[in-house]
Amino acid sequence: MKQATNPFAPVPLWRKRLPGYAAMGAATVAMAVGLIAMQHARTTVAGTLLPVSEADAAAYGISAVYQLDNGSYRVEGSQKGFQSDVQAAVTLDAEGNVSAVEILSQAETDSLGGQCVNPEFTSQYQGAAPFTLAGKSYTVTDPATGAAYASAGASSEASAAEDFDPAQWNVSDTSPEAEATRRMYAAGLTLSALNGEPLADELAPPLDSSAEAVARRKLYAAGLSKSARDGEEQALPYADWSAEKQAAYRLAQAELTTGQTSAGAVSADLTEVDALSGATITSTAVTNIVNNSYFYVTEVLRAE
């Protein structure tokens, strides 16, 4: 005989929570399906995926190539940036003219290299490749043939630094400033490295923070010195200027400030692309991806 259920018996806690668990499980499954669909939508390309040989993938630094429905090509590649691998997709026609550049992934410094994702930067790659970096000593090299297309002044200067080891520069100077300079050169962040030149023989004069220099700066700022009254700059920049102005002066002298570039550093035969301010390594990575994509389309795809 079936025992009657006691309507007043307490309901187990798991039974009370069962509807909630079921709802949470359904929501989780729906979210996973949605994320998969979103990712698939982001990676779907309206075209045909073309085969790429391992040799070409290694030589040109590319990972995928599509022939789009309109007859153009989408080439995806990767290059080492300052602190991450920069991945980009380049759209070109059969003649090697670039119509679009899209940064797929990067983890560069937000205020510097991370700006490569902005349309203001990527839109510069328009028209006929190869591209060079405006105001920078930069050489475009065909990854398959080794042919070089040097920016003006780049080829003659680059050879002087080919065998230069920054670790051997002023080895007797073990100061933090000297070590920082060696590391900056090795990372391609000094003007000499950008121009393909060895490091200079000595460091710039240190900032003068003596009581006398501080007093002179205050006198000038108060309009009490002769140079201030005559409307002239102070005669001794490294002694009389503020630390900020001294830094700005050094950057201007080294032509590293925005709006100033080295004279004759860009070839008239190549399309100019401005480097991101202070982020030449990231700019170079993107430019290399674009140029390698151009060489792959014109040398491999057009030859088939």
Side-chain angles (χ1 to χ4, degrees), residues 112-173:
L112 294 172
Q115 299 300 307
C116 66
V117 301
N118 294 339
E120 291 81 5
F121 178 72
T122 56
S123 63
Q124 295 179 99
Y125 299 96
Q126 298 286 335
F131 295 88
T132 187
L133 299 178
K136 305 297 180 182
S137 179
Y138 180 80
T139 301
V140 177
T141 303
D142 186 327
T145 66
Y149 305 83
S151 303
S155 57
S156 60
E157 295 171 351
S159 59
E162 285 181 353
D163 299 324
F164 178 74
D165 180 6
Q168 301 303 316
W169 173 76
N170 279 4
V171 291
S172 60
D173 187 346

Side-chain angles (χ1 to χ4, degrees), residues 89-244:
V90 185
T91 304
L92 314 92
D93 63 21
E95 303 301 319
N97 298 304
V98 177
S99 60
V101 173
E102 176 189 358
I103 305 300
L104 301 178
S105 68
Q106 57 84 28
E108 302 293 86
T109 307
D110 288 341
S111 59
L112 294 172
Q115 299 300 307
C116 66
V117 301
N118 294 339
E120 291 81 5
F121 178 72
T122 56
S123 63
Q124 295 179 99
Y125 299 96
Q126 298 286 335
F131 295 88
T132 187
L133 299 178
K136 305 297 180 182
S137 179
Y138 180 80
T139 301
V140 177
T141 303
D142 186 327
T145 66
Y149 305 83
S151 303
S155 57
S156 60
E157 295 171 351
S159 59
E162 285 181 353
D163 299 324
F164 178 74
D165 180 6
Q168 301 303 316
W169 173 76
N170 279 4
V171 291
S172 60
D173 187 346
T174 58
S175 66
E177 292 81 4
E179 181 58 25
T181 300
R182 298 185 189 99
R183 291 183 179 180
M184 289 179 67
Y185 182 94
L189 298 177
T190 64
L191 182 66
S192 53
L194 295 175
N195 287 340
E197 302 169 343
L199 277 168
D201 291 337
E202 57 188 29
L203 292 170
L207 299 179
D208 188 346
S209 58
S210 65
E212 293 80 3
V214 172
R216 284 196 295 271
R217 289 195 288 267
K218 290 182 177 180
L219 286 170
Y220 183 90
L224 298 177
S225 65
K226 184 177 184 301
S227 55
R229 290 175 179 175
D230 292 342
E232 301 172 348
E233 293 185 342
Q234 295 181 43
L236 302 174
Y238 286 107
D240 293 350
W241 290 352
S242 67
E244 292 80 8

Side-chain angles (χ1 to χ4, degrees), residues 273-295:
V273 176
D274 291 332
L276 296 169
S277 177
T280 304
I281 295 177
T282 307
S283 300
T284 300
V286 177
T287 306
N288 286 342
I289 294 173
V290 177
N291 288 336
N292 287 355
S293 300
Y294 158 76
F295 287 119

